[in-house]
Amino acid sequence: MDSENQRQKLITWPIVGIGSSAGGLEALTSMIGSIEIGSDCSFVVIQHLSPHYRSMLVQLLGRDTPLAVQEVKHDEIPVPDVIYVAPANHNVRLHEGVFQLLEPPEKVVPKPSVDMFFRSLADELGDLAVGVILSGTGSDGAVGVKAIKAAGGTVLVQTPETAKYDGMPRSAIDTGAVDMVLPPKEIASRILSLADLPEIGVGGADGASD
């Protein structure tokens, strides 16, 4: 347990998990295009992908941000100012301060799993965990945002009206565990002011109600 705690303390900055699915690319590019170097955050994109499709997400996102964009590697230690992209047909979790790639189950479920990564962020980072839900169908991420909120972290969700597919945003909002509901560019602005996150309240003019 002592060695685990020591490794966990190596991460002293926020890690932002970003869950998306159908229609997510447009929201992702809008969001990351507003993030500059010096954010002091790591970003991890968990985008549902076909297991038989070679993703071009790293290349596509790299066109819209000055941050480094790269695919998650097994046993990699995250660093700030990098956008990590989950590879197709692998789940990702943060464990003892490093990324782990896991084979997904055979059954038909969203891959990679937003819920799995968000739960690992909550377990590892507590109030340094940040969960973002963007456009997508289904409810993946809803369990994960509850875990992040319970651990003292922060949850930001795309305004359903601005999402091409509002299933994932609405499912997250319905949990009552969402701090703010905003368009993607405004989500980026909130992330850039992470030092003020304790002041973000649930509800308000542009927040979700609990």
Side-chain angles (χ1 to χ4, degrees):
M1 179 63 71
D2 289 342
S3 62
E4 181 174 334
N5 287 339
Q6 287 174 357
R7 293 196 70 180
Q8 181 174 331
K9 289 177 182 177
L10 292 176
I11 299 178
T12 57
W13 59 90
I15 293 184
V16 182
I18 306 168
S20 61
S21 183
L25 180 59
E26 180 179 320
L28 279 166
T29 53
S30 176
M31 176 182 161
I32 68 169
S34 300
I35 298 173
E36 300 293 335
I37 293 174
S39 66
D40 294 326
C41 299
S42 303
F43 302 86
V44 184
V45 176
I46 310 294
Q47 164 85 19
H48 293 166
L49 298 166
S50 167
H52 308 295
Y53 175 72
R54 185 177 180 274
S55 173
M56 297 296 292
L57 197 55
V58 169
Q59 292 85 346
L60 292 171
L61 294 180
R63 299 173 183 171
D64 294 291
T65 176
L67 275 64
V69 183
Q70 61 191 57
E71 196 167 79
V72 175
K73 297 180 178 63
H74 188 70
D75 281 343
E76 183 175 19
I77 299 172
V79 297
D81 284 336
V82 174
I83 298 172
Y84 299 92
V85 177
N89 207 31
H90 284 86
N91 286 329
V92 180
R93 71 172 179 173
L94 185 69
H95 182 65
E96 296 185 4
V98 301
F99 292 130
Q100 293 186 334
L101 295 180
L102 307 172
E103 291 290 334
E106 292 287 337
K107 62 182 180 179
V108 179
V109 294
K111 303 171 186 179
S113 169
V114 179
D115 281 329
M116 176 179 286
F117 184 67
F118 279 18
R119 287 197 304 265
S120 75
L121 280 188
D123 291 342
E124 286 273 298
L125 299 183
D127 61 1
L128 289 177
V130 180
V132 175
I133 295 292
L134 301 177
S135 174
T137 58
S139 61
D140 189 23
V143 172
V145 301
K146 289 192 289 185
I148 288 176
K149 190 61 181 174
T154 302
V155 178
L156 306 171
V157 174
Q158 181 177 3
T159 310
E161 292 76 15
T162 68
K164 281 191 173 181
Y165 296 89
D166 63 5
M168 285 175 64
R170 290 194 184 279
S171 293
I173 292 167
D174 287 345
T175 67
V178 174
D179 290 290
M180 300 294 287
V181 180
L182 301 164
K185 283 187 178 180
E186 293 184 36
I187 289 176
S189 298
R190 284 288 173 171
I191 290 170
L192 294 176
S193 60
L194 280 171
D196 298 325
L197 281 180
E199 299 177 7
I200 295 179
V202 178
D206 51 0
S209 63
D210 53 28

